[in-house]
């Protein structure tokens, strides 16, 4: 698997891998929080619905 | 059967190269790249990019246009594209701050559009952008690939070296792009950027991730690269949303840098204006306008353009203009104005008495400046005293330089040594110029130029000359 024909810079790669980890975790948490709180906050008049697990 | 000529700067990427044939530009790409470009075309993405002016106009020359002798020497399975030829070739070391920033933003726009389709730019070289007037255009379609992972951008490191670090170095340390890019065609290295900015500026929120952190992780230990390389191989799909966060962050940062850069020193050039009466300025403008109307040049090179007043006039008269000045901030101010007004002017930072030479492999990879700038008509207004005194150029050299720059016409402003502008430059210099006169000037230019007309300006010390190359 050829990855790059220019020097990608190991610093740049490591930084992005770290960011990928953090952002990925952030996206996961945001989705989890939205599932718990999101529906209730946006539509208070609706009945709280059962979430379908993905 | 006419020759094909391979582009001397196009050799690093084994998947693609550019060649010329009978004045047309072709690019060869391998099968993989062709399939990426095909997918882009089917999705309408390529035409969107071309119509938006982001990417140079391109057609897939499958068969049709390609001369048979070229087909025969290309490896089997090679495909060709035909690009529209861009006339104005300029390099990052000739750009001003906002020009490099706009070229960076163009890369980010293109990368964002690509990752939606599972594609990416494999490199982020500032040399993959050419300016047409004030519009940056991406030319390296061979740089498009299907990456191994889409959550990281493999060219991000090069993007920092070519765009972000030079912008930071110019903004915070006043380091000109010329110094960066002529020294290294790959831009500023991360450790150089860190040392130039110093600990405190690198640790500041604006530079923390891109300078400090990258420098921290920059591979200095043997074997580290191999470890990183192994950890990059990943099973399954990766999420481009992560990369998008990074790209958006970079965009905001570069837009912020553009806003932070303030032009300063240009105003000191206005010292020249002090020496003109209002009458003289109006007359000079009138004469230049008259000359443009009479000769209607297709292209004009404005040397020592300064505020760009006469470049605007030439552009309004329908010429395609290149405007060159030694002062970075003058070029930056001209770029911002010309871009806002959408004028056909390409401003460049260059010292014509020390123009960039051929660089790179065999000194052919990047062409010398004098091969790339020029015009049917050249303006040399409020300039002669700088060439003679500041640059210490003898008249024969001035004559030869202009002969190389112009196709036909030269509009040169003679300035008498008694004039305030001239005397200011001579204030602390030994005066070799008391004998200088308009006759001496015309004689000095006579080996390459003949005088067509003379237009004296009010005050008696300045005259506009229109000369024709012999």
């Amino acid at each position: 698997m050829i990855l790059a024909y220019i020097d990608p810079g190991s610093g740049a790669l490591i930084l992005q891998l770290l960011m990928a980890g953090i952002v990925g975790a952030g996206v996961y948490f945001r989705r989890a929080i939205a599932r718990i709180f999101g529906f209730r906050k946006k539509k208070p008049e609706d009945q709280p619905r059962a979430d379908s697990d993905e | 059967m006419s020759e094909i000529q391979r582009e001397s700067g196009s050799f690093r990427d084994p998947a693609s190269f550019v060649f010329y044939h009978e004045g047309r530009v072709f690019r060869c790409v391998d099968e993989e790249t062709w399939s990426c470009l095909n997918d882009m075309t089917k999705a309408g993405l390529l035409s969107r990019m071309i119509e938006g002016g982001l990417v140079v106009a391109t057609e897939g020359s499958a068969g049709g246009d390609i001369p048979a002798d070229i087909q025969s020497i290309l490896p089997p399975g090679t495909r060709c594209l035909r690009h529209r030829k861009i006339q104005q070739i300029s390099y990052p070391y000739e750009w001003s701050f906002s020009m490099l920033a706009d070229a960076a933003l163009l890369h980010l726009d293109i990368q964002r559009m690509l990752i939606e389709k599972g594609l990416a730019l494999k490199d982020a070289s500032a040399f993959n952008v050419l300016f047409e007037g004030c519009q940056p255009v991406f030319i390296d379609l061979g740089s498009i690939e299907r990456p191994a992972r889409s959550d990281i951008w493999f060219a991000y490191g090069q993007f920092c070296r070519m765009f972000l670090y030079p912008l930071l170095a110019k903004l915070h340390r006043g380091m000109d792009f010329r110094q960066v890019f002529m020294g290294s065609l790959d831009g500023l290295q991360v450790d150089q950027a860190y040392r130039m900015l110093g600990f405190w500026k690198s640790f500041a929120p604006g530079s923390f991730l891109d300078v400090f952190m990258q420098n921290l992780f920059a591979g200095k230990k043997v074997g580290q690269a191999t470890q990183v390389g192994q950890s990059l191989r990943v099973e399954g799909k990766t999420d481009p949303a992560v990369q998008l966060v990074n790209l958006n962050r970079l965009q905001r940062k570069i837009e912020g840098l553009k806003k932070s850069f303030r032009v300063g020193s240009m105003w000191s050039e206005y010292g020249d204006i002090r020496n003109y009466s209002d009458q003289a300025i109006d007359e000079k403008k009138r004469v230049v306008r008259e000359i443009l109307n009479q000769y209607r040049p297709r292209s004009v090179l404005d040397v020592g353009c300064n505020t760009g007043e006469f470049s605007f006039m030439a552009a309004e008269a329908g010429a395609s203009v290149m405007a060159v000045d030694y002062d970075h901030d003058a070029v930056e101010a001209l770029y911002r104005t010309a871009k806002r007004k959408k004028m056909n002017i390409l401003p460049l930072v260059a010292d014509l008495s020390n123009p960039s030479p051929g660089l790179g492999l065999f000194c052919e990879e990047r062409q010398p400046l004098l091969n790339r700038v020029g015009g049917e008509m050249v303006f040399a207004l409020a300039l002669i005293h700088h060439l003679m005194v500041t640059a210490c150029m003898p008249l024969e050299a001035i004559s030869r330089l202009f002969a190389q720059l112009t196709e036909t016409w030269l509009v040169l402003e003679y300035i008498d040594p008694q004039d305030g502008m001239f005397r200011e430059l001579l204030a602390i210099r030994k005066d070799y110029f008391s004998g200088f006169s308009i006759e001496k000037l015309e004689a000095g230019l006579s080996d390459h130029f003949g005088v067509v007309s003379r237009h004296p300006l009010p005050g008696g010390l300045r005259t506009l000359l229109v000369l024709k190359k012999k």
Side-chain angles (χ1 to χ4, degrees):
Chain A
M1 210 196 289
I2 302 194
L3 294 174
Y5 88 105
I6 45 113
D7 174 16
S10 50
L13 287 176
I14 294 174
L15 181 68
Q16 286 184 94
L17 291 171
L18 281 179
M19 284 171 68
I22 295 169
V23 172
V27 169
Y28 174 81
F29 279 121
R30 192 152 38 95
R31 286 198 188 131
I33 289 169
R35 276 189 3 214
I36 299 169
F37 295 109
F39 286 113
R40 290 217 193 125
K41 260 203 167 141
K42 278 185 194 167
K43 302 170 190 180
E45 67 273 15
D46 286 345
Q47 296 297 318
R49 298 175 302 199
D51 293 328
S52 54
D53 278 35
E54 282 135 29
Chain B
M1 198 150 16
S2 47
E3 292 285 304
I4 63 158
Q5 194 197 355
R6 197 160 157 158
E7 162 57 48
S8 46
S10 174
F11 59 86
R12 279 165 207 254
D13 185 355
S16 136
F17 70 90
V18 172
F19 65 90
Y20 305 101
H21 183 262
E22 289 173 356
R24 295 174 300 171
V25 185
F26 292 96
R27 175 184 296 276
C28 276
V29 295
D30 64 5
E31 203 57 48
E32 263 179 64
T33 316
W34 179 260
S35 108
C36 294
L37 293 172
N38 242 358
D39 291 348
M40 280 174 75
T41 315
K42 285 203 206 106
L45 181 57
L46 189 56
S47 37
R48 249 192 300 142
M49 285 182 171
I50 292 172
E51 275 151 39
L54 282 79
V55 164
V56 65
T58 304
E59 302 151 7
S61 274
D65 251 340
I66 310 167
D69 53 337
I70 301 171
Q71 282 280 352
S72 59
I73 63 173
L74 295 174
T78 322
R79 312 294 198 118
C80 265
L81 305 165
R82 193 177 144 199
H83 293 311
R84 177 174 63 85
K85 184 161 191 181
I86 294 179
Q87 300 297 336
Q88 296 170 326
I89 310 289
S90 61
Y91 297 138
Y93 37 87
E94 291 141 9
W95 298 343
S96 74
F97 193 86
S98 291
M99 290 169 85
L100 188 65
D102 285 344
L105 292 171
L106 176 66
H107 267 80
L108 295 174
D109 284 339
I110 291 176
Q111 177 70 358
R112 257 197 300 255
M113 289 166 90
L114 288 176
I115 58 177
E116 283 171 33
K117 304 279 183 260
L119 300 166
L121 289 174
K122 20 178 172 172
D123 64 353
S125 167
F127 290 95
N128 287 339
V129 175
L130 290 180
F131 272 85
E132 278 194 300
C134 291
Q135 180 75 11
V137 177
F138 185 78
I139 57 170
D140 189 6
L141 285 181
S143 176
I144 295 176
E145 63 161 3
R146 216 162 259 121
R149 350 174 13 148
S150 50
D151 56 345
I152 66 177
W153 186 22
F154 289 99
Y156 165 57
Q158 191 179 39
F159 179 84
C160 290
R161 294 195 294 273
M162 287 274 193
F163 295 107
L164 196 57
Y165 302 154
L167 288 169
L168 288 168
K170 174 69 183 168
L171 179 62
H172 294 300
R173 297 293 178 232
M175 186 185 215
D176 278 333
F177 299 149
R178 194 182 152 120
Q179 292 165 295
V180 171
F181 289 107
M182 283 181 62
S184 160
L185 295 179
D186 193 38
L188 203 55
Q189 304 303 310
V190 62
D191 59 329
Q192 290 175 314
Y194 175 68
R195 281 161 64 193
M196 197 166 305
L197 294 173
F199 175 81
W200 292 109
K201 283 213 154 44
S202 303
F203 209 78
S207 312
F208 181 67
L209 281 176
D210 300 299
V211 184
F212 187 83
M213 291 294 271
Q214 275 197 49
N215 185 52
L216 197 62
F217 296 134
K220 299 185 192 88
K221 291 185 290 196
V222 175
Q224 186 174 354
T226 328
Q227 286 176 346
V228 175
Q230 280 163 357
S231 71
L232 286 173
R233 282 155 179 78
V234 66
E235 298 295 321
K237 288 179 63 96
T238 47
D239 189 359
V242 176
Q243 193 190 145
L244 207 56
V245 169
N246 197 22
L247 295 177
N248 290 337
R249 177 188 71 86
L250 286 170
Q251 179 182 342
R252 282 193 304 269
K253 172 174 293 187
I254 295 192
E255 283 169 354
L257 292 178
K258 271 177 80 170
K259 285 204 190 77
S260 305
F261 188 83
R262 300 207 186 290
V263 292
S265 65
M266 181 196 85
W267 301 107
S268 66
E269 289 293 329
Y270 262 104
D272 278 354
I273 300 291
R274 270 189 282 123
N275 285 293
Y276 285 92
S277 65
D278 286 332
Q279 231 190 334
I281 297 179
D282 290 339
E283 178 64 11
K284 186 174 169 183
K285 287 189 199 173
R286 191 194 65 77
V287 171
V288 173
R289 223 173 262 130
E290 196 181 280
I291 293 170
L292 285 167
N293 278 330
Q294 183 178 352
Y295 295 99
R296 297 238 152 254
R298 267 181 358 260
S299 56
V300 171
L301 170 65
D302 187 359
V303 182
C305 60
N306 192 238
T307 54
E309 183 152 31
F310 298 100
S311 302
F312 287 128
M313 251 186 235
E316 277 158 19
S320 153
V321 182
M322 280 179 133
V324 172
D325 201 283
Y326 174 67
D327 185 298
H328 171 276
D329 286 5
V331 174
E332 170 69 8
L334 175 52
Y335 175 73
R336 289 181 189 181
T337 312
K339 186 164 182 111
R340 201 178 59 238
K341 297 187 180 170
K342 299 196 190 344
M343 308 200 73
N344 188 5
I345 301 175
L346 172 58
L348 297 174
V349 185
D351 177 359
L352 285 173
S353 68
N354 182 21
S356 59
L359 290 176
L361 202 62
F362 302 120
C363 295
E364 284 173 351
E365 195 179 331
R366 300 295 149 207
Q367 295 294 306
L369 180 70
L370 293 182
N371 292 1
R372 295 179 281 113
V373 294
E376 191 184 328
M377 178 179 278
V378 169
F379 286 174
L381 307 170
L383 181 72
I384 190 85
H385 55 316
H386 286 296
L387 295 178
M388 292 177 71
V389 182
T390 319
C392 299
M393 286 175 74
L395 278 176
E396 308 84 66
I398 294 175
S399 177
R400 192 176 137 199
L401 176 64
F402 285 131
Q404 190 164 351
L405 293 173
T406 187
E407 281 172 35
T408 316
W409 308 106
L410 172 62
V411 180
L412 186 131
E413 184 177 3
Y414 164 75
I415 301 169
D416 193 276
Q418 293 303 310
D419 184 278
M421 299 198 293
F422 219 120
R423 282 155 72 115
E424 214 170 290
L425 286 185
L426 290 174
I428 50 170
R429 308 277 294 260
K430 189 163 173 165
D431 187 0
Y432 290 108
F433 304 100
S434 47
F436 185 55
S437 65
I438 194 170
E439 290 80 22
K440 282 235 172 71
L441 175 62
E442 292 182 18
L445 296 172
S446 61
D447 51 350
H448 291 112
F449 291 96
V451 178
V452 172
S453 58
R454 298 175 186 81
H455 309 262
L457 297 181
L461 295 172
R462 272 169 254 117
T463 305
L464 286 182
L465 296 169
V466 178
L467 302 108
K468 187 172 180 183
K469 190 159 99 166
K470 291 185 180 165

